[in-house]
Amino acid sequence: MSSRFGVRSSVVVLGTALAIAGGAVLVAQQRPAGQAPQAPRAGGAPDGGLTPAPARRAGEGLGPFKTMVIRGAMLIDGTGGPPTGPVDIVIEGNRIASVRSAGTPGLPMRQNRPPQNADHEIDGRGMYVMPGFVDMHVHAGGAPKNAEAEYAYKLWLAHGVTAVRGVPLGSNSFSVSEKARSEKNEIVAPRIFNCQRPGNVPTPDAGRAWVQNAAETGAGCLTLGAYEPAIMEALNDEAHRQGMGTTAHLQQGGVAQMDAIDAARAGLDTVTHFYGHFESLLKDYVVQPWPSDMNANDEQWRFGQVARLWNQIHEPGSPEWKAYLAEHRKLGTVFDPTLTIYSAGRDVMRFREAEWHDTYTLPSLMDFYTPSRAAHGSYWFDWTTHDEVAWRNFYQVWFKLVNDYKKIGGRVTTGSDSGFIYQTYGFGYINELEMLQEAGFHPLEVIQAATMNGALTLSEHRAKPVEFGVVKAGMLADLVIVDQNPLHNLKVLYGTGAVKLNDQTGRVERIGGVKWTVKDGIVYDAKKLLADVAAMVDEQKKARR
């Protein structure tokens, strides 16, 4: 059926809504109907094959300091405004105290600029400073991929990610504990926001009860699936009553009854991935026209066929397309596209052979990426040129959808979902930034999506105001410092840096890579974090010999 805007409404299907069923790894994290998330438990035993991070060791990060100054840097403040500099950024404890002009471009910087005798100074000349990045879609892994949460944490921080939304990070007990330890800077980790999945809830009242208990046991937000309408409305409404935000992976098994516009009308805050968008815009059908021999439990079928939607929807720019985006904008829906996590589908060879794997991808994680019917997202059973062409076509339409939403004022954030499909933590996040630029975002819009937009989304429905995501006085000192201009080339943010010919020497050089990540006023040497990860990889390789 058609709505007044020409966008189809959902077909209500009775029965218990399916939980997010992304494969064996995600199914294993579901709970029985009505079962609340676990309260935090004592001890450091592995949780679901995931070992908590070790206590922060001596020499892991400097600070926070009574007074720290970053001197003479160029600033990209996260709001979308142009770079400005040189500036001095004064940090007191874990907050930015002031951002001050350090002089006039083209002239020597003023001497003896206050404050003098700071406890710590960073020479920011030639550097670019940005707010810490926010990854809005993460999981911390677990056996058999990466048993140590430390591995993911250090890769995120090494790429400038200072806040993550776990969807979930791990079990509730694990996530609540790690969140608290990160808040106290007892571990080397980004800030953690803890979303949990309700799983199967049979009635709206059961859904409300689950949300209430989740709030009491430390969850701060919800990750939803494509529930039937009454349950979806109850989950979103109760979450908002409890001061919790919501995001949803509208899985293919339920999207026929709850697509993206239906979910937004039911109160959903964020649509993650692409699921539900294309189904909302189908032109000749109300469900995806699957092949007759389709089997959704076969992941090559599942991930291969979704790309075939690219030419079955209302065309970009059509009245239906515009109405769809306009209604999301009116409802305040956030798009968290996670472009990166499916990008191997359009060129699996490129990501299988990515230059960072040898040094920074654990052999166990590489094993998980390898084609397997048992490992979620490792669906390259017989991946063909037909499949890659379909995904390339799909991406062009998806890019247009996300960029058009941005152009009418819709909020877009950045999430990576790394740890699957050849996307290694941290590296996959920077690929997300590159792909937003490919979609048509200006690099300043990319950084805005990666910083301020994520922070705004995480602050909604909470009593506390936005405290990070923008570089200005009063904000928490979460910063990324890089010795190259990311607006010129986002590749300089990869841990492996960017390749550039030095015309003075005639030699090819590696430039960039984040130099320092500041989280809560603590300065982490990004290169040292990467060296720690490389040592973990080398240790595992040696153990296999």
Side-chain angles (χ1 to χ4, degrees):
M1 356 180 212
S2 296
S3 75
R4 65 186 184 278
F5 300 115
V7 179
R8 80 169 188 84
S9 300
S10 65
V11 178
V12 178
V13 180
L14 298 178
T16 301
L18 296 174
I20 297 172
V25 172
L26 301 188
V27 170
Q29 295 174 344
Q30 296 173 4
R31 287 177 283 277
Q35 181 175 326
Q38 295 174 312
R41 67 187 184 193
D47 189 298
L50 184 59
T51 302
R56 187 174 150 214
R57 305 173 184 93
E60 288 192 317
L62 301 175
F65 299 95
K66 182 178 179 181
T67 304
M68 176 173 74
V69 186
I70 303 169
R71 297 274 188 197
M74 289 293 294
L75 173 63
I76 301 171
D77 69 4
T79 66
T84 186
V87 299
D88 292 342
I89 302 171
V90 181
I91 297 167
E92 296 177 355
N94 70 339
R95 290 193 180 268
I96 299 169
S98 62
V99 178
R100 307 174 178 182
S101 172
T104 301
L107 297 176
M109 283 186 243
R110 292 194 301 274
Q111 299 299 306
N112 303 315
R113 303 186 303 276
Q116 295 292 304
N117 303 313
D119 299 288
H120 186 72
E121 290 199 2
I122 294 175
D123 183 356
R125 291 175 298 177
M127 307 279 182
Y128 280 76
V129 179
M130 296 168 283
F133 299 140
V134 183
D135 192 331
M136 296 289 283
H137 191 125
V138 308
H139 310 280
K145 300 192 295 185
N146 57 290
E148 305 287 338
E150 178 186 19
Y151 172 75
Y153 295 167
K154 286 189 170 179
L155 279 171
W156 284 326
L157 283 171
H159 287 88
V161 175
T162 56
V164 297
R165 179 171 66 179
V167 291
L169 187 78
S171 73
N172 192 56
S173 60
F174 172 89
S175 300
V176 169
S177 175
E178 293 291 87
K179 178 179 187 292
R181 296 173 74 210
S182 177
E183 285 176 351
K184 297 173 184 176
N185 294 309
E186 294 174 353
I187 57 175
V188 179
R191 300 182 189 278
I192 293 169
F193 291 78
N194 172 27
C195 292
Q196 290 294 322
R197 295 188 178 99
N200 295 332
V201 288
T203 67
D205 286 345
R208 287 185 184 277
W210 191 96
V211 175
Q212 291 163 11
N213 193 278
E216 291 171 1
T217 54
C221 45
L222 299 187
T223 301
L224 303 177
Y227 292 91
E228 62 184 79
I231 293 174
M232 191 71 160
E233 290 175 8
L235 288 167
N236 281 293
D237 179 66
E238 192 60 41
H240 296 159
R241 289 173 183 266
Q242 299 295 328
M244 304 164 77
T246 59
T247 184
H249 170 155
L250 300 167
Q251 80 283 357
Q252 290 161 304
V255 75
Q257 66 174 338
M258 182 56 60
D259 60 29
I261 198 65
D262 297 328
R265 290 168 181 164
L268 180 70
D269 297 320
T270 298
V271 176
T272 194
H273 303 318
F274 52 78
Y275 302 105
H277 287 307
F278 283 65
E279 291 84 355
S280 299
L281 287 164
L282 283 168
K283 184 165 53 178
D284 297 320
Y285 301 91
V286 295
V287 298
Q288 180 170 350
W290 303 102
S292 59
D293 53 348
M294 174 70 186
N295 183 346
N297 279 348
D298 183 312
E299 286 207 336
Q300 172 146 344
W301 272 111
R302 185 159 76 87
F303 286 98
Q305 284 301 310
V306 70
R308 270 67 177 185
L309 280 173
W310 72 272
N311 61 352
Q312 298 186 41
I313 66 172
H314 291 287
E315 291 78 5
S318 66
E320 294 84 359
W321 175 279
K322 291 179 179 179
Y324 175 73
L325 294 177
E327 185 172 359
H328 274 299
R329 175 68 181 88
K330 183 177 180 180
L331 291 167
T333 313
V334 177
F335 286 9
D336 185 49
T338 67
L339 300 164
T340 179
I341 194 57
Y342 304 100
S343 57
R346 59 181 186 165
D347 189 354
V348 68
M349 186 186 304
R350 172 190 170 195
F351 285 101
R352 186 176 62 233
E353 303 300 326
E355 63 185 7
W356 46 80
H357 286 321
D358 186 57
T359 304
Y360 300 114
T361 300
L362 288 167
S364 56
L365 182 54
M366 205 67 192
D367 289 346
F368 188 87
Y369 294 152
T370 302
S372 168
R373 292 189 179 273
H376 173 50
S378 304
Y379 47 81
W380 323 102
F381 313 148
D382 184 21
W383 202 249
T384 69
T385 304
H386 296 289
D387 295 306
E388 293 197 349
V389 169
W391 270 103
R392 290 169 195 162
N393 289 329
F394 183 89
Y395 264 102
Q396 295 310 305
V397 182
W398 191 10
F399 285 156
K400 180 72 171 171
L401 186 81
V402 173
N403 194 43
D404 280 1
Y405 191 54
K406 176 264 299 180
K407 289 194 290 186
I408 66 168
R411 187 187 301 164
V412 178
T413 57
T414 53
S416 69
D417 199 12
S418 295
F420 303 95
I421 319 180
Y422 291 114
Q423 297 298 332
T424 298
Y425 309 101
F427 294 95
Y429 183 78
I430 304 306
N431 186 49
E432 180 75 1
L433 306 190
E434 285 201 282
M435 293 186 77
L436 280 180
Q437 183 175 352
E438 185 180 354
F441 284 50
H442 186 279
L444 282 171
E445 293 175 326
V446 173
I447 293 169
Q448 181 188 60
T451 57
M452 185 179 77
N453 286 4
L456 286 170
T457 301
L458 291 171
S459 73
E460 289 176 347
H461 306 297
R462 300 170 70 233
K464 297 176 71 174
V466 177
E467 292 192 289
F468 55 90
V470 174
V471 180
K472 67 176 184 179
M475 302 296 271
L476 290 168
D478 290 2
L479 304 169
V480 185
I481 305 173
V482 62
D483 63 3
Q484 301 291 322
N485 183 355
L487 303 183
H488 174 69
N489 188 3
L490 290 169
K491 292 183 188 298
V492 301
L493 298 173
Y494 283 111
T496 47
V499 174
K500 183 178 181 181
L501 177 66
N502 185 326
D503 284 325
Q504 302 302 314
T505 65
R507 295 179 179 176
V508 174
E509 298 176 344
R510 286 272 176 182
I511 60 170
V514 173
K515 193 168 183 65
W516 289 292
T517 298
V518 182
K519 179 249 179 174
D520 212 35
I522 297 173
V523 182
Y524 292 98
D525 182 335
K527 308 295 186 186
K528 173 63 167 58
L529 293 171
L530 287 171
D532 291 348
V533 170
M536 295 179 205
V537 172
D538 190 55
E539 181 180 0
Q540 193 179 97
K541 287 180 177 179
K542 289 178 179 177
R544 290 184 167 206
R545 290 173 187 160

